[in-house]
Amino acid sequence: MTQCCFLRVRPLFFWFWSFHHRMALALCLQVLCSLCGWLSLYISFCHLNKHRSYEWSCRLVTFTHGVLSIGLSAYIGFIDGPWPFTHPGSPNTPLQVHVLCLTLGYFIFDLGCIWRFAWRKSIKKYHAWRSRRSEERQLKHNGHLKIH
């Protein structure tokens, strides 16, 4: 009899698990599409502003994200609802989930930009520090500065 109950519960468990699995996959797909959208916008800005640096184009994407996220958040908070002060902690609406995925995709893009640009800058600063340090070593002789 327990085997019969186990067989009844098992399909329900797999349906429930596959439902959450599909939802997680859909969210990951939305985040990936968002990341591709931000990368496409960045590449477009790079081509349109060839006379500017790549970091300039990254800042334009940042500005675009700021304007878009403020506008969408205001729409969700004031027009679409639910009002966050009267219904705190209520389940997210589909629009809220889309905006969250859009923002997460942007944050992944921005993290990549940060690594691409603190690494090149960090390497340049490291090489400058090493060259200054080697110059200081050449100036020192027995603990004293050389007199030229």
Side-chain angles (χ1 to χ4, degrees):
M1 186 168 200
T2 55
Q3 186 178 16
C4 184
C5 290
F6 178 73
L7 290 175
R8 284 187 215 158
V9 173
R10 189 172 175 191
L12 180 64
F13 171 75
F14 284 115
W15 177 84
F16 184 73
W17 181 81
S18 79
F19 173 74
H20 285 293
H21 184 69
R22 287 189 308 237
M23 290 297 293
L25 188 62
L27 290 174
C28 289
L29 186 62
Q30 286 182 17
V31 171
L32 185 64
C33 288
S34 169
L35 176 62
C36 290
W38 293 117
L39 281 171
S40 299
L41 186 63
Y42 171 73
I43 291 169
S44 300
F45 283 149
C46 286
H47 285 297
L48 291 173
N49 300 311
K50 291 182 182 179
H51 60 284
R52 302 275 189 178
S53 68
Y54 292 127
E55 193 168 1
W56 173 266
S57 297
C58 184
R59 297 303 149 224
L60 284 176
V61 173
T62 301
F63 176 75
T64 304
H65 170 260
V67 170
L68 187 65
S69 63
I70 288 172
L72 287 172
S73 297
Y75 175 77
I76 289 170
F78 296 117
I79 298 171
D80 192 44
W83 182 248
F85 298 116
T86 58
H87 297 89
S90 60
N92 291 334
T93 64
L95 182 58
Q96 289 172 335
V97 172
H98 290 306
V99 171
L100 288 172
C101 290
L102 183 78
T103 301
L104 182 58
Y106 166 75
F107 285 143
I108 294 170
F109 164 80
D110 196 42
L111 182 64
C113 286
I114 289 169
W115 283 345
R116 178 178 182 241
F117 291 122
W119 180 258
R120 295 168 80 197
K121 286 184 179 180
S122 295
I123 293 296
K124 286 180 183 179
K125 287 181 180 182
Y126 174 74
H127 287 301
W129 175 77
R130 290 284 299 211
S131 66
R132 275 193 318 246
R133 188 171 172 210
S134 65
E135 289 173 3
E136 289 174 0
R137 282 186 186 166
Q138 291 174 356
L139 291 176
K140 290 184 179 181
H141 181 67
N142 292 333
H144 302 287
L145 290 177
K146 287 184 178 180
I147 300 175
H148 292 275

